[in-house]
Amino acid sequence: MKYSTTILLTLILFCSCDDDDNSISVGLLAEHRGVYINDFYHAGILGNSTLEDDLLAWVDENDFTDIYLYNIGAALGDGLDNNLRAFVNKAHNQDPYVSVSFVSAGFGDSFTEIEEYHDGRKDSKPDGIVSEIEFWNGSMNFTDDYVPWIDKVNDLKFTPPPGQIAPLNADITRQFYIGKIKDPGMPPSLTIAKELVMHHDEIFLTNYHTDAWQLSSSTAENSIVNKLNLLAQAGMELNKTVNIVILFNVYEMSPSPEIWDYFATTGMNNEFENAFVEWAAEYDESTDITNKEFLNLKGFGIYRYSDAKNARP
């Protein structure tokens, strides 16, 4: 990495990263600083200029570079195409620019709505598409439930529609949210890891455990160290750099461990980038992760907006 995380950790602990003074966070390590916007449509944010402006002001105040929007298929299905276009433009016109990703829960009607949204759009396109397909859970599997989604996103990025000479969105970032790199009931899979690495632009990797701002020393099957090692091995064998976004959970009612109190102004009062800087410093020093030269830590994502905003209003 270009900058020592030890130096960055020292810097971040002695400066304010919030955008109170129209500055930007340290941001030297966390190029990508994202947050999931839950209930973007169902909570009434989309189309409500006050709530939209409040959201973007909070994003700016906390120095996020990226937002990932839920409920896009539902919003488009209900005819809010122009409202969504206006919001995407509003985010893109912020200073600094805010990247917008649409969260996709599958490759059915919801994704069809997203594909159709691109038709004829020269602006207001999303910067990324984030998967929300947990192929490692329940009755799903990678081949049946994830590969078709990858095919859809690849078509969006690389294949011109009929009668056109350019893809719908050649610059779109394919963002894969990953909890486990395996099919249900099976061990971690290098084959699946390679598929993810070959077709990704950024891999959003869950890091949901107690004290998640520290690099967990767990060696359990789904530990963060094991997932990183598997992706690094895939990168090495494919000779491809794997772009990683580390996800932190602040959803207080989540069945998974969360670190809301770490960020809360009423708790440990750490800013959002601090968790990543502390975590990355331990990652840098860890000898448990091999082939690090094939891993590029781009930054972090926070799950999710409503709880994050309660933590740091």
Side-chain angles (χ1 to χ4, degrees):
M1 278 181 280
K2 186 176 179 181
Y3 297 93
S4 162
T5 47
T6 302
I7 294 173
L8 287 169
L9 179 57
T10 302
L11 284 171
I12 201 167
L13 292 176
F14 285 96
C15 75
S16 173
C17 298
D18 278 355
D19 207 3
D20 308 300
D21 57 358
N22 205 30
S23 64
I24 194 166
S25 88
V26 172
L28 299 175
L29 178 64
E31 171 189 347
H32 180 120
R33 305 184 294 277
V35 57
Y36 280 90
I37 312 301
N38 56 303
D39 290 340
F40 176 65
Y41 172 38
H42 298 313
I45 297 174
L46 179 61
N48 183 314
S49 59
T50 299
L51 294 180
E52 289 180 355
D53 291 345
D54 287 347
L55 164 61
L56 293 173
W58 183 86
V59 164
D60 179 57
E61 175 72 15
N62 290 280
D63 299 310
F64 287 104
T65 60
D66 291 69
I67 54 177
Y68 329 127
L69 306 180
Y70 278 109
N71 319 129
I72 297 305
L76 292 173
D78 288 344
L80 274 72
D81 180 286
N82 287 333
N83 299 78
L84 182 59
R85 178 184 59 81
F87 176 80
V88 172
N89 284 341
K90 184 187 292 188
H92 287 168
N93 287 330
Q94 297 294 298
D95 184 16
Y97 180 101
V98 176
S99 293
V100 178
S101 292
F102 293 170
V103 178
S104 174
F107 50 89
D109 292 343
S110 174
F111 199 87
T112 299
E113 295 285 356
I114 291 173
E115 288 177 307
E116 292 176 352
Y117 172 87
H118 287 79
D119 290 345
R121 297 289 185 199
K122 294 184 179 179
D123 61 1
S124 65
K125 289 185 175 69
D127 303 277
I129 301 287
V130 185
S131 68
E132 191 76 6
I133 306 169
E134 296 185 341
F135 60 84
W136 53 88
N137 280 337
S139 61
M140 293 194 290
N141 65 74
F142 183 80
T143 300
D144 295 335
D145 298 286
Y146 210 77
V147 170
W149 186 87
I150 291 176
D151 290 341
K152 286 281 190 179
V153 178
N154 282 344
D155 279 345
L156 197 67
K157 187 176 179 75
F158 299 118
T159 305
Q164 299 188 34
I165 61 173
L168 289 176
N169 198 346
D171 295 326
I172 201 161
T173 301
R174 299 163 299 169
Q175 298 164 319
F176 296 174
Y177 148 69
I178 298 298
K180 300 178 182 180
I181 309 173
K182 53 176 291 212
D183 280 327
M186 301 298 289
S189 168
L190 180 60
T191 298
I192 291 177
K194 285 183 175 180
E195 287 292 317
L196 296 172
V197 169
M198 282 191 292
H199 297 288
H200 93 293
D201 296 305
E202 294 172 343
I203 291 179
F204 288 15
L205 200 59
T206 56
N207 178 48
Y208 298 169
H209 61 86
T210 304
D211 301 337
W213 60 92
Q214 300 172 343
L215 177 63
S216 172
S217 60
S218 171
T219 57
E221 176 182 271
N222 191 50
S223 69
I224 187 68
V225 166
N226 283 354
K227 287 187 288 190
L228 288 168
N229 273 322
L230 190 60
L231 290 170
Q233 182 180 351
M236 178 189 66
E237 294 190 13
L238 294 168
N239 194 28
K240 188 176 189 298
T241 299
V242 187
N243 295 305
I244 301 291
V245 173
I246 295 294
L247 297 182
F248 297 102
N249 183 19
V250 301
Y251 179 24
E252 290 185 278
M253 300 303 292
S254 172
S256 301
E258 45 79 19
I259 56 170
W260 185 89
D261 190 66
Y262 175 83
F263 299 113
T265 56
T266 57
M268 297 171 67
N269 196 22
N270 288 282
E271 297 182 27
F272 293 110
E273 190 173 32
N274 289 34
F276 180 68
V277 172
E278 291 198 56
W279 184 92
E282 294 195 11
Y283 166 89
D284 267 3
E285 295 184 5
S286 173
T287 58
D288 295 329
I289 302 165
T290 57
N291 302 308
K292 286 183 184 177
E293 64 271 25
F294 293 96
L295 299 178
N296 175 37
L297 298 183
K298 289 199 69 173
F300 67 93
I302 299 292
Y303 182 79
R304 56 187 195 163
Y305 169 62
S306 58
D307 298 85
K309 188 176 181 182
N310 285 337
R312 304 192 67 77

